[in-house]
Amino acid sequence: MKCDIILCGVGGQGILSIATIIGQAAMNQNLYIKQAEVHGMSQRGGDVQSNLRISSEPIASDLIPRGKADVIISMEPMEALRYLPYLAPDGWVITSSAPFVNIPNYPAIEDIYAALDALPHVVRIDIESMARDAGVPRSANVILLGAAQKALGIELAQLEDAVRAVFARKGDAIVQANLQALALGVQAAG
């Protein structure tokens, strides 16, 4: 088993929480894991990105080479485009469809969608609306993780256990909200 994952978005969107859940699920399966993070200025909507590598074999580096990422999970569609040079030819992009317009020259969303839709494996969903409609507005990131479950090759039960472990200290209501969000994402990705 090997999966090289790039997680990206804008500061404050929950990218590092997704990385923690995936990492916990990988450790529960006794897999090797390496992670490298770049934190933007979250107060100002800066870029946040994490390289997450999981494998059944030892991993030499925590950085994913260009053209080798199996999955890009992006909380924001333009950020997905930023990391496309790292995507393997048969890789997956799992992204929110809702733009986070934080720069004056943000590209036209239609152009972003066209670039993403030209790829062989893309899941693009409106996680913000789904989270709001389901009454779990702070769990949009976990909806996106659920949508990525099949591409990651991690069993749903393993991700559910990781959600329980990661959010346990916040109480049962938060755990249940995130389990609901995970299930919504799995369902949305089909």
Side-chain angles (χ1 to χ4, degrees), residues 72-78 80 93-97 116 122-127 144:
I72 293 174
I73 300 174
S74 181
M75 289 292 296
E76 204 285 327
M78 186 185 74
V93 174
I94 316 296
T95 187
S96 171
S97 61
L116 291 172
V122 175
V123 174
R124 181 169 38 102
I125 57 177
D126 187 349
I127 58 172
L144 194 64

Side-chain angles (χ1 to χ4, degrees), residues 40 135 179:
L179 288 172

